[in-house]
Amino acid sequence: MKVKSMRDIPTIQGLRHHSMPKTREQVVTDLASLEREKARLGRELNIWVDNQKKTEDRLRQVDERLALLQQIIDPPAADGSAKGAKARPSRAEAADGSKGHTQGWREVSLEY
Amino acid sequence: MTVARTIIEETPVALSVKPRLDFVETPAIRELTERALAYLAADFPVHFRGPAGTGKTTLAMHVAAKLGRPVMLIAGDDEVATSDLVGGQYGYRYRKVVDQFIHTVLKYEEDATQRWVDNRLTTACREGFTLVYDEFTRSRPEANNILLAVLEERLLVLPTMRRDDTYVKVHPGFRAIFTSNPQEYAGVHEAQDALSDRLVTIDVSYYDRETEIAITTARSGLPQEEATRIVDLVRDYRASGEYDQVPTLRACIMIGRVTAMQGLKLSAPDPRFVSICLDILESKTAFTSQARERRAQQRKMLLSLIEHHCG
């Protein structure tokens, strides 16, 4: 198809709004470009699926390792209950004396 | 990033006051307590004024306990300065930051800032505690100036050198109770009019006979009948005016407790009991060479009082 003006060039907007090609040449051009696009998207999808699978595998490995290390630090009690299961304060929390205190002062009892 | 800093324990300490098991609340004490609580409820500071031995501090503690808030106790003293009330810059806070978030870039920061530490008045204002300022006239008047805005404008004005929190709005739960002894002449100052004008002053005098008997009974461990005789003895001595220092309820408790602990009978023929009475009550007279004759007369009067009440 001989391009006479910008009107003859299929645009993304034109494709999106399903404007129908007017001539046979335009149809063939659209078919060819869409098939190439489909093949490209297919390849891209395969890459994403592969990456997702790899990430999930790695996440599972990290979880298993975390559970193993947690058991070393905090072994389960003899009765099966999780000893020391409460969340440890973060370093920032540990450094921040005010956090975790129910009140900001100590009380000394005095009888009069 | 590595942050190293010195964390210094700055947790303030408040008092949780409660009456002892043998605390006595007679109608006279209850009436004083209720009067004080009424003024405090209306957000006016209360000032208990009275001579030594009238139970001002205990009364202040009792009223504070009734308020049900933690108590900050300040003892008036000539050495008390404004910083002893509000706090000040004590020491330094050292901070060191080594940032290697990008491994080829090393960012290194180090600084030391002055560390502000709140003192009792500031803590009480922030947290809404009850402030008991015992014998506040023993502090220099200029040290107490900081209280003027606290009691009137409900605003604690901190020294300007502190960059943040220069003004502290006083917590709605904050209440202040003062005590002072106007008859004391050693180590006391005049209170400034501006401060006195902000206080509701309740004069506390020596308690009635019933209250003194109840307190002496509770605090000495003697039976009520014996405590009554001791109280009458001390009250008669007080009424005589023949002393330089007023014999107070403390004298009753002292005589009663020592007598009870020694297992003595309240009898004038017992020289040990008489000796206890004389030791405690004779000390209320001045010891000067010129007053020797007067002291002899006072001893004679005391012995006759002991004979009369414990004969």
Side-chain angles (χ1 to χ4, degrees), chain A residues 95-96 101 104-112, chain B residues 12-18 20 62 70 127 129:
Chain A
D96 185 2
H101 284 201
W105 66 89
R106 287 190 295 121
E107 282 195 350
V108 174
S109 81
L110 171 73
E111 287 190 348
Y112 56 85
Chain B
V13 180
L15 294 174
S16 167
V17 291
K18 58 180 179 183
R20 52 203 297 167
H62 186 54
E127 307 287 349
F129 292 168

Side-chain angles (χ1 to χ4, degrees), chain B residues 130-188:
Chain B
T130 302
L131 177 79
V132 176
Y133 197 163
D134 194 27
E135 301 282 2
F136 80 102
T137 50
R138 291 185 186 276
S139 304
R140 293 170 187 271
E142 54 265 35
N144 295 332
N145 283 341
I146 193 81
L147 289 162
L148 300 178
V150 170
L151 299 179
E152 187 66 34
E153 283 79 26
R154 307 284 293 175
L155 188 72
L156 177 62
V157 184
L158 294 176
T160 50
M161 68 179 81
R162 198 179 175 201
R163 281 176 296 182
D164 57 337
D165 255 3
T166 304
Y167 300 107
V168 176
K169 268 191 88 68
V170 174
H171 190 286
F174 172 81
R175 295 291 182 273
I177 303 170
F178 296 77
T179 73
S180 77
N181 178 355
Q183 291 181 2
E184 183 68 89
Y185 52 86
V188 293

Side-chain angles (χ1 to χ4, degrees), chain B residues 39-307:
Chain B
Y39 294 123
L40 289 166
D43 210 2
F44 292 115
V46 167
H47 170 208
F48 290 119
R49 182 175 63 181
T54 49
K56 302 179 294 294
T57 307
T58 306
L59 193 58
M61 289 293 184
H62 186 54
V63 172
K66 292 278 183 191
L67 289 173
R69 299 281 301 167
V71 172
M72 278 290 178
L73 176 65
I74 299 175
D77 186 82
D78 197 55
E79 295 293 316
V80 169
T82 304
S83 61
D84 296 310
L85 298 176
V86 297
Q89 310 276 8
Y90 296 104
Y92 287 87
R93 172 171 280 124
Y94 175 72
R95 183 169 171 270
K96 182 179 170 184
V97 180
V98 180
D99 184 357
Q100 217 167 356
F101 185 70
I102 300 169
H103 76 283
T104 53
V105 179
L106 176 62
K107 186 179 170 190
Y108 185 81
E109 286 179 6
E110 197 171 358
D111 62 19
T113 52
Q114 277 197 308
R115 190 169 60 95
W116 173 272
V117 178
D118 283 347
N119 228 325
R120 287 176 185 155
L121 176 62
T122 308
T123 306
C125 289
R126 277 189 207 283
E127 307 287 349
F129 292 168
T130 302
L131 177 79
V132 176
Y133 197 163
D134 194 27
E135 301 282 2
F136 80 102
T137 50
R138 291 185 186 276
S139 304
R140 293 170 187 271
E142 54 265 35
N144 295 332
N145 283 341
I146 193 81
L147 289 162
L148 300 178
V150 170
L151 299 179
E152 187 66 34
E153 283 79 26
R154 307 284 293 175
L155 188 72
L156 177 62
V157 184
L158 294 176
T160 50
M161 68 179 81
R162 198 179 175 201
R163 281 176 296 182
D164 57 337
D165 255 3
T166 304
Y167 300 107
V168 176
K169 268 191 88 68
V170 174
H171 190 286
F174 172 81
R175 295 291 182 273
I177 303 170
F178 296 77
T179 73
S180 77
N181 178 355
Q183 291 181 2
E184 183 68 89
Y185 52 86
V188 293
H189 302 275
E190 284 281 328
Q192 61 266 56
D193 286 348
L195 181 56
S196 300
D197 193 43
R198 285 163 168 77
L199 310 178
V200 177
T201 299
I202 298 176
D203 284 322
V204 183
S205 188
Y206 298 102
Y207 286 120
D208 57 299
R209 182 171 175 267
E210 179 204 348
T211 303
E212 290 197 341
I213 291 170
I215 294 174
T216 306
T217 307
R219 300 289 296 274
S220 68
L222 282 177
Q224 189 178 350
E225 187 266 330
E226 293 187 358
T228 304
R229 283 154 63 191
I230 292 176
V231 168
D232 287 342
L233 164 66
V234 174
R235 285 177 72 88
D236 277 359
Y237 183 38
R238 193 187 300 155
S240 74
E242 292 296 320
Y243 45 76
D244 298 298
Q245 187 188 338
V246 185
T248 67
L249 180 59
R250 280 199 188 98
C252 302
I253 297 170
M254 282 178 188
I255 295 171
R257 192 181 297 173
V258 176
T259 307
M261 287 182 73
Q262 297 292 318
L264 301 177
K265 291 276 181 197
L266 269 69
S267 65
D270 188 342
R272 289 179 298 170
F273 172 70
V274 174
S275 143
I276 290 169
C277 290
L278 291 179
D279 285 343
I280 293 170
L281 295 176
E282 246 190 343
S283 62
K284 309 297 177 192
T285 55
F287 191 85
T288 56
S289 55
Q290 292 85 2
R292 193 171 296 163
E293 194 176 334
R294 185 171 168 237
R295 281 175 61 82
Q297 287 175 352
Q298 282 170 339
R299 170 172 281 225
K300 198 172 168 187
M301 185 196 68
L302 269 173
L303 288 172
S304 65
L305 281 174
I306 294 167
E307 179 67 34

